[in-house]
Amino acid sequence: MDAKEYLIKTSKELDGPIKQYIEDEEPANLIEATRQYPYAGGKRMRPAMALAAAGAVGGDRSKAIPLAVAIEYIHNFTLVHDDFMDGDEQRRGMTTIHVAYDVPTAILAGDALFAKAFQIIAELDVPDKNMRGVLRYVTKAVWDLARGQEMDINNEKKIVSEETYIETIRLKTSVLFAAAAAGGALVGGADERTVRALHEYAMALGLGFQIFDDYLGIAGDPSKTGKSVGNDIRKGKCTVMVTHAVRSIKDPRVLDEFKSILGNVDATEEQVARARSIMEDAGSIAYGRQLAKKKVDEAISKLDVLAPSEDKDFMIALAKYAINREA
């Protein structure tokens, strides 16, 4: 199965539902701001995960559509606030909401998406016990997202341990994937063991996805990834490759040279190339790719609880896509 084709198909399937929940109301500028990100399309991997999980456990995928929409709204709520915190002016080729409108409107747009998501979840057609399970997973994910964002802020321009970095990206990236998978499984009527397995699958998948994203930031083709290989080095982004390099470089002079380039916003192309070369010599770039693959293999192993189905095939294909993409 081609994961990208499945995502394109699912994204189109969700277009209508994503646009039906935000009605025309006043003030119009807030409604417009709230709609901007979710209406823009994209891969929509998290909502696709909710639908696939519901189908993979033998449930009715259509019953998971409201949850999928809610998950997408929550994801976009975090993007609105992240863009403001990071000072970003562009998102997916669009002017970010805090720039296009203003900061108060951006904060309120994020808050509105968050509120709408839980209004939608409250209308899910599932037994009360399953509803409570969905709420437990989703609310815990939102709490963890906030923790992960703060950890990311606290870690800026620091070389933290690999364990700290893994925990940060687990909270920032994996938890919403995992809530989508577990929530979809609950909507599909899965038992507790299966719900837990799918939650663990998505948690590992999110880690593999982000670690490979970091790998692309160093070793990817800029014409395909859309970002310079020097960006993460100049920003001083601490990834598993950086933590590996710091603990693996034996020559103190080389380590000092590497640290002097890392986080230097004015680093030349030659210095960036040198930092990359140091990481390559230390085996750190290969380590990053291998660790991403290890996480994805771990994710796929969790799907052994599922019977064969097209949705299970997608979940396997999505895991493989996470570490075989170019952007």
Side-chain angles (χ1 to χ4, degrees):
M1 174 179 288
D2 187 318
K4 288 182 74 174
E5 286 184 9
Y6 185 104
L7 286 170
I8 291 168
K9 180 184 75 172
T10 304
S11 184
K12 288 178 180 177
E13 180 184 350
L14 289 168
D15 262 338
I18 282 173
K19 293 176 181 177
Q20 85 178 50
Y21 286 99
I22 303 177
E23 300 174 358
D24 291 333
E25 295 182 89
E26 294 297 333
N29 64 317
L30 176 61
I31 302 304
E32 290 169 4
T34 303
R35 288 170 170 165
Q36 182 172 318
Y37 286 1
Y39 284 26
K43 294 187 182 75
R44 291 176 173 159
M45 293 172 65
R46 293 159 188 82
M49 179 76 76
L51 296 186
V57 301
D60 181 351
R61 289 173 90 256
S62 66
K63 284 191 173 184
I65 288 176
L67 174 63
V69 173
I71 291 290
E72 182 68 355
Y73 283 3
I74 289 170
H75 174 56
N76 283 279
F77 136 72
T78 67
L79 298 183
V80 175
H81 287 185
D82 285 359
D83 286 343
F84 167 58
M85 286 185 278
D86 295 342
D88 291 335
E89 298 184 356
Q90 290 286 311
R91 159 79 60 183
R92 301 171 185 163
M94 301 175 290
T95 303
T96 49
I97 293 173
H98 68 277
V99 175
Y101 296 86
D102 51 49
V103 171
T105 302
I107 293 171
L108 291 171
D111 293 347
L113 284 168
F114 178 77
K116 183 63 72 173
F118 284 95
Q119 180 185 350
I120 296 167
I121 289 173
E123 297 170 4
L124 284 171
D125 180 18
V126 295
D128 288 349
K129 179 182 177 183
N130 297 50
M131 173 71 82
R132 288 195 295 274
V134 170
L135 285 170
R136 275 196 300 272
Y137 277 110
V138 175
T139 52
K140 180 65 162 60
V142 175
W143 174 261
D144 284 344
L145 281 164
R147 293 172 56 222
Q149 178 66 11
E150 184 65 19
M151 284 180 70
D152 196 43
I153 292 168
N154 292 343
N155 294 346
E156 280 182 4
K157 297 192 180 299
K158 293 180 186 174
I159 298 175
V160 298
S161 69
E162 181 174 308
E163 292 74 20
T164 297
Y165 180 69
I166 292 290
E167 178 64 1
T168 302
I169 63 173
R170 184 186 74 81
L171 296 172
K172 277 204 67 174
T173 304
S174 291
V175 293
L176 198 55
F177 277 111
L186 283 163
V187 172
D191 59 31
E192 186 177 337
R193 171 174 169 263
T194 304
V195 171
R196 189 165 54 249
L198 266 61
H199 185 265
E200 292 170 354
Y201 151 81
M203 197 71 81
L205 168 60
L207 291 176
F209 185 93
Q210 184 58 55
I211 293 168
F212 191 78
D213 214 51
D214 295 337
Y215 164 82
L216 288 176
I218 297 295
D221 181 345
S223 67
K224 294 175 180 176
T225 63
K227 60 180 181 179
S228 165
V229 294
N231 282 351
D232 287 354
I233 292 171
R234 290 190 178 96
K235 288 179 181 177
K237 183 177 181 181
C238 185
T239 65
V240 294
M241 293 174 290
V242 169
T243 62
H244 181 274
V246 169
R247 69 175 183 265
S248 301
I249 298 168
K250 303 303 180 187
D251 188 331
R253 292 169 299 179
V254 174
L255 181 58
D256 287 344
E257 181 184 9
F258 177 68
K259 287 181 176 180
S260 72
I261 299 170
L262 192 69
N264 179 3
V265 294
D266 298 319
T268 64
E269 289 298 324
E270 290 76 16
Q271 287 174 311
V272 167
R274 173 59 180 155
R276 187 185 183 283
S277 176
I278 291 171
M279 293 173 74
E280 196 162 357
D281 290 344
S284 305
I285 295 176
Y287 176 79
R289 181 158 197 161
Q290 289 161 5
L291 185 59
K293 183 180 185 303
K294 180 181 177 182
K295 294 298 181 184
V296 163
D297 288 344
E298 179 186 329
I300 293 172
S301 73
K302 301 295 181 181
L303 299 180
D304 290 345
V305 297
L306 300 175
S309 70
E310 182 183 11
D311 288 306
K312 178 181 178 180
D313 288 345
F314 162 68
M315 294 172 83
I316 293 171
L318 181 62
K320 292 179 178 177
Y321 166 72
I323 57 169
N324 288 302
R325 61 199 161 91
E326 295 177 320

